[in-house]
Amino acid sequence: MTRAPGPKGGLFLGSLPAFKADPIGFLGQAVREHGPVVRLRFGPVTAHLLNAPDHIEHVLSRNAKNYDKATRSADRIAAATGQSLLSANSDMWARHRRLIQPAFQPRCFEAISGPAIDSLLLPAIERWRRQGQIDIVNEMMQLVIAAAIRILFSADIKPASISAPLEALLADTWRRIEAPFDLSMVSRHLHRRRFSSALKQIDAIVYGLIAHRKRQDDRPDDVLTRLIDAHEAEGETGLNNKELRDAAITLLLAGHETTANALAWAFIHAAKGHEDAEPRHIFAEALRLHPSIWVIERRAIGPDAIGGYHIPKGSSVLISPLLLHRNAALWPEPEHFEPQRWADAPTHQRHAYLPFGLGQHRCIGLYLAHAMAGHILATVLSKVRLQLLPGQYPAHSAGITLQHATAVQLSVSPRP
């Protein structure tokens, strides 16, 4: 079987230094130079980058049984989230999904998400009007984490007390993914002090919420209550306290960061002349150009063939929604922000759009993310006008999620 083409890289570290220097630029160049299946070497790790819908569907859906999450990235993420939907594999993942899925049915959020968001958003808009200028990246991060806390846990916790340690966990996890050797994988006591401190802060908050909720006789109908009820109803097969903690941290870590980043991009583009477009189309296009989950990793359990190339047993497979969404063979004018492309029947190829993943591992919070983003966009754009201030050059910063490289300042003025 033919070996896939790819950059040669250095003798010992392969392409790892080039990837660390510019992850997005390096992967984009690899696809342009070598095609839709690219063989990469990162130190001792061999990976194959895929950039064609049919190949991606093969890994995430049709032949998903041959690809699991026993990967380098999942191992590093598990240090923060435990055995959760982000990191658990096979039977453990299936069990968690089965217990958590009912808590994320759309009907569960129809009555609570709008009022919870408005109680935070409307005062924020009034503050923006008084200030006349905002950092949209920070504003969305604080708004979405506060809304997530209320919707998931019915709690009023200062957003920064959770968002700051979560950011520390994300940053250190990405650093360890990029590192050729990670001492913390030898012993958890070898984690950096900043990571350990952030984890203790998050654990104290989450375990406190779980203990308080279990003592309550009249429990609010939110995600935490539904997870605890599922635990109690299922007895020994349900979620224990550690698993409830892992689920809660995963929902906070994966939910607030991804939605907040995408919303900030949506407002940035709206402020550049698209504020009158349909809010849901603005958000869909922001997710196309700036998918928060920009790279997905799987491990080949057994040997396989993709696009005529050999995929060895044990090698990693990388899928980048960011590169896929900007593939000129799949999208007309892929670098242009065009909300109107979502107004008609989609013209892109099937499985060419996957900001929330594909197959059985598709994001469990998809509906909630769309509901929150749609409500926030529609409310803000109906009440104020936003404009990108001079000297602002929004750019990506690649990490666990696709973040903003810098703050982005927008002017705020009342709508007439």
Side-chain angles (χ1 to χ4, degrees):
M1 184 69 69
T2 305
R3 191 169 87 166
K8 184 177 179 180
L11 180 61
F12 296 108
L13 296 180
S15 296
L16 184 59
F19 177 80
K20 289 180 65 175
D22 181 6
I24 296 171
F26 169 75
L27 294 183
Q29 181 178 352
V31 166
R32 289 191 298 273
E33 292 182 354
H34 301 287
V37 182
V38 185
R39 184 180 183 275
L40 303 168
R41 188 169 62 84
F42 302 121
V45 177
T46 297
H48 287 81
L49 174 64
L50 309 181
N51 196 42
D54 186 60
H55 300 159
I56 291 168
E57 184 190 15
H58 175 85
V59 170
L60 297 182
S61 184
R62 288 199 312 271
N63 197 32
K65 65 182 182 298
N66 188 54
Y67 294 90
D68 66 12
K69 298 175 80 172
T71 63
R72 180 184 179 88
S73 58
D75 283 345
R76 276 38 173 192
I77 291 168
T81 67
Q83 292 301 305
S84 67
L85 289 178
L86 285 179
S87 56
N89 205 13
S90 303
D91 293 343
M92 177 71 76
W93 175 87
R95 175 172 170 269
H96 279 222
R97 182 85 181 202
R98 184 174 63 253
L99 288 169
I100 296 172
Q101 181 76 57
F104 277 83
Q105 296 300 313
R107 58 179 172 77
C108 296
F109 303 105
E110 289 171 354
I112 63 173
S113 60
I117 294 168
D118 283 342
S119 67
L120 299 161
L121 178 59
L122 297 180
I125 293 173
E126 290 304 313
R127 174 172 54 81
W128 298 352
R129 284 173 169 163
R130 293 193 301 271
Q131 294 174 186
Q133 180 177 323
I134 58 171
D135 169 8
I136 192 62
V137 177
N138 181 64
E139 290 291 342
M140 287 302 102
M141 198 63 68
Q142 299 308 310
L143 173 65
V144 172
I145 189 64
I149 292 168
R150 289 197 181 179
I151 293 170
L152 299 176
F153 310 127
S154 300
D156 286 308
I157 300 171
K158 189 176 180 181
S161 67
I162 288 185
S163 62
L166 286 181
E167 290 303 311
L169 295 180
L170 285 168
D172 198 73
T173 300
W174 181 250
R175 178 193 63 80
R176 288 183 289 111
I177 288 174
E178 289 188 311
F181 182 69
D182 176 18
L183 286 173
S184 66
M185 297 306 291
V186 177
S187 168
R188 62 183 178 85
H189 299 293
L190 295 177
H191 275 293
R192 286 189 175 185
R193 185 176 299 174
R194 185 181 180 213
F195 179 91
S196 299
S197 175
L199 199 58
K200 287 178 182 177
Q201 293 175 56
I202 291 293
D203 279 349
I205 292 171
V206 171
Y207 275 123
L209 286 170
I210 293 169
H212 175 72
R213 182 61 54 84
K214 286 191 169 184
R215 292 193 299 267
Q216 287 181 284
D217 294 324
D218 186 16
R219 297 174 180 174
D221 181 23
D222 59 14
V223 170
L224 181 57
T225 292
R226 293 177 208 133
L227 294 181
I228 291 173
D229 287 346
H231 161 59
E232 292 173 348
E234 296 291 337
E236 292 302 317
T237 64
L239 297 171
N240 59 37
N241 272 9
K242 174 62 166 59
E243 291 171 322
L244 286 168
R245 172 264 182 207
D246 293 347
I249 289 179
T250 296
L251 296 175
L252 285 172
L253 198 64
H256 96 280
E257 176 88 8
T258 55
T259 304
N261 285 334
L263 263 172
W265 281 113
F267 280 118
I268 290 167
H269 285 289
K272 294 165 69 175
H274 296 282
E275 62 182 354
D276 294 326
E278 176 69 33
R280 59 192 176 93
H281 297 157
I282 295 175
F283 188 61
E285 185 70 345
L287 284 172
R288 184 187 69 80
L289 276 178
H290 317 283
S292 294
I293 303 302
W294 72 277
V295 66
I296 300 166
E297 185 181 12
R298 293 289 185 268
R299 182 194 67 146
I301 298 171
D304 199 1
I306 297 178
Y309 296 113
H310 177 55
I311 307 297
K313 174 184 176 180
S315 65
S316 290
V317 170
L318 301 178
I319 295 159
S320 174
L322 177 67
L323 298 182
L324 186 72
H325 295 176
R326 293 171 181 244
N327 187 332
L330 306 172
W331 298 89
E333 298 185 289
E335 299 294 331
H336 291 187
F337 185 87
E338 184 48 71
Q340 189 61 30
R341 74 172 81 235
W342 300 97
D344 307 315
T347 56
H348 60 80
Q349 188 174 331
R350 187 168 178 260
H351 301 314
Y353 183 69
L354 49 142
F356 294 95
L358 180 67
Q360 63 180 357
H361 289 277
R362 197 177 189 205
C363 177
I364 199 170
L366 182 154
Y367 172 82
L368 181 57
H370 275 290
M372 288 180 65
H375 187 89
I376 291 169
L377 277 164
T379 302
V380 171
L381 296 179
S382 70
K383 294 181 178 297
V384 295
R385 290 191 181 278
L386 304 174
Q387 284 190 308
L388 189 67
L389 289 174
Q392 304 296 301
Y393 302 99
H396 293 139
S397 175
I400 295 293
T401 59
L402 191 66
Q403 301 169 333
H404 297 261
T406 62
V408 180
Q409 299 292 328
L410 303 182
S411 68
V412 183
S413 58
R415 273 192 176 267

